[in-house]
Amino acid sequence: MGFHHHDHGDGHDHHHHGKGASKKALFTSFLIITVFLIVETIGGFLTNSLALLSDAGHMLSDALALLLSLVALHFAARPPSAKKTFGMQRFEILAALTNGVTLVLISLFIFWEGFQRLLQPPEVASGKMIVIAAIGLLANIAAAFVLMRGDYKDNVNVRSAYLHVLGDMLGSVGAILGGILMLAFDWYIADPLISIIVAFLILLSAWRVTKESVNILLEGAPSRLDTTKVEARLGQLDGVRKVHDLHIWTVTSGFDSLTCHLIVEDGLPSYPVLDAALELLQKEFGITHATIQIENSSISHGKLHCQGGARGHVHEHGHSR
């Protein structure tokens, strides 16, 4: 008496359209960042500026992050197989996690180097630093604008790359501000100080994308959904006596899945309940990939041990016909 349903519909058409736009945006941004990475690296050594060098290091991570995100989109587009029934869509989440961890490591390095320079601030060629940082800022603005044309809101992989560029933009603004302070007041401590502030802001963004990626890999419930509310709404459907073994997780960005068992009144036709449940999940919660098993009192629960449901209840069940 179990029923299974997949309904990808327009949601997945939009998902694939978003992938195409994201791939183009990532590639264009990669070219922009790579060109100006070279400029800023040379400029950082010439001016002896930590702010510029940290920004260049961040730009290097940007380029690698964008490249990794491109590779991830390529693998994620591969069709499912007998051994990988969801395809390789999780590769995007692995890329996002790698990008997030990289941002954390870069931030920690900038913290360390910045504190070292706070003790003995070196002299910096502030005039040249301002010019180079301004060029870098323009490059970051261009890359961020391009990425905004991709699926950066709903795709954690693209968003992780976008956060890399956004953090780099902050680095460029900080470098410009530090250059102005040093040029006007010979306040060379501004260079490491601003680097530390920017590193802290980058760290906050990195933590968010890393946390979200880990949650997806651990198959936690999507942050946008309240599982107790989903369970309650399913339980309110006509003829449904109980909802159990409810699981909601994210396969990849924009692709949430749900499985559950619905115990219905004896003698009640199952298909109308199934249809109502699927419609509710799609309209109220945006879940289009659901596997729902309809049961009645004839189903015996006794052998297979399960844990699940929005309230984390434990039950044992085995299906006997």
Side-chain angles (χ1 to χ4, degrees):
M1 200 171 172
F3 296 88
H4 171 76
H5 176 80
H6 293 293
D7 180 15
H8 300 304
D10 294 336
H12 273 266
D13 289 339
H14 172 74
H15 188 54
H16 290 301
H17 173 73
K19 300 265 182 171
S22 296
K23 187 176 288 188
K24 184 178 180 181
L26 285 168
F27 181 69
T28 305
S29 300
F30 172 72
L31 292 179
I32 294 171
I33 293 297
T34 301
V35 170
F36 284 95
L37 158 66
I38 298 169
V39 174
E40 201 159 44
T41 301
I42 296 171
F45 281 109
L46 290 176
T47 60
N48 195 31
S49 167
L50 175 62
L52 272 186
L53 286 174
S54 63
D55 199 33
H58 195 196
M59 268 198 166
L60 175 60
S61 76
D62 286 348
L64 294 175
L66 291 165
L67 183 60
L68 182 59
S69 296
L70 274 169
V71 172
L73 281 178
H74 171 73
F75 279 107
R78 291 187 174 183
S81 65
K83 290 188 176 181
K84 293 183 175 60
T85 56
F86 278 113
M88 298 185 71
Q89 298 190 66
R90 275 284 170 89
F91 203 96
E92 288 186 81
I93 309 304
L94 290 173
L97 177 63
T98 302
N99 286 340
V101 172
T102 302
L103 277 171
V104 171
L105 294 175
I106 288 171
S107 300
L108 293 177
F109 173 75
I110 295 171
F111 276 133
W112 171 257
E113 189 66 25
F115 281 120
Q116 296 296 313
R117 288 200 175 201
L118 279 176
L119 301 175
Q120 291 183 323
E123 188 173 340
V124 177
S126 50
K128 293 178 181 178
M129 172 185 168
I130 293 171
V131 174
I132 296 168
I135 295 172
L137 177 61
L138 292 175
N140 285 309
I141 290 173
F145 179 76
V146 170
L147 285 173
M148 285 176 69
R149 297 174 67 182
D151 195 19
Y152 82 101
K153 287 185 177 179
D154 299 320
N155 188 302
V156 68
N157 177 37
V158 178
R159 186 161 71 254
S160 69
Y162 175 73
L163 286 173
H164 265 268
V165 174
L166 206 61
D168 202 15
M169 191 186 301
L170 290 173
S172 296
V173 171
I176 293 170
L177 181 59
I180 292 172
L181 289 173
M182 287 183 283
L183 187 64
F185 306 109
D186 290 333
W187 193 36
Y188 293 111
I189 199 172
D191 185 60
L193 192 62
I194 288 174
S195 298
I196 291 170
I197 293 171
V198 171
F200 178 74
L201 295 174
I202 294 169
L203 192 62
L204 292 178
S205 297
W207 171 249
R208 284 195 294 270
V209 74
T210 302
K211 182 181 177 182
E212 184 177 354
S213 301
V214 169
N215 184 61
I216 292 174
L217 291 173
L218 291 177
E219 298 196 337
S223 58
R224 70 178 185 87
L225 294 174
D226 182 345
T227 54
T228 57
K229 185 176 180 181
V230 175
E231 183 175 3
R233 288 293 292 121
L234 288 170
Q236 291 168 3
L237 291 171
D238 292 339
V240 175
R241 293 172 55 194
K242 186 179 180 182
V243 181
H244 68 94
D245 206 15
L246 173 69
H247 300 278
I248 309 175
W249 72 100
T250 300
V251 177
T252 189
S253 299
F255 185 5
D256 296 328
S257 289
L258 175 147
T259 62
C260 72
H261 295 209
L262 301 182
I263 299 177
V264 302
E265 296 172 2
D266 291 351
L268 190 71
S270 300
Y271 282 112
V273 177
L274 176 62
D275 189 54
L278 294 170
E279 184 178 5
L280 181 149
L281 290 172
Q282 182 171 358
K283 287 186 176 180
E284 294 191 21
F285 302 103
I287 299 173
T288 58
H289 190 282
T291 303
I292 300 174
Q293 179 154 312
I294 308 295
E295 304 171 347
N296 60 24
S297 62
S298 68
I299 302 297
S300 174
H301 296 269
K303 293 183 179 180
L304 184 61
H305 183 73
C306 282
Q307 288 187 330
R311 296 175 181 83
H313 59 270
V314 180
H315 65 271
E316 296 182 348
H317 71 87
H319 303 306
S320 61
R321 297 289 189 268

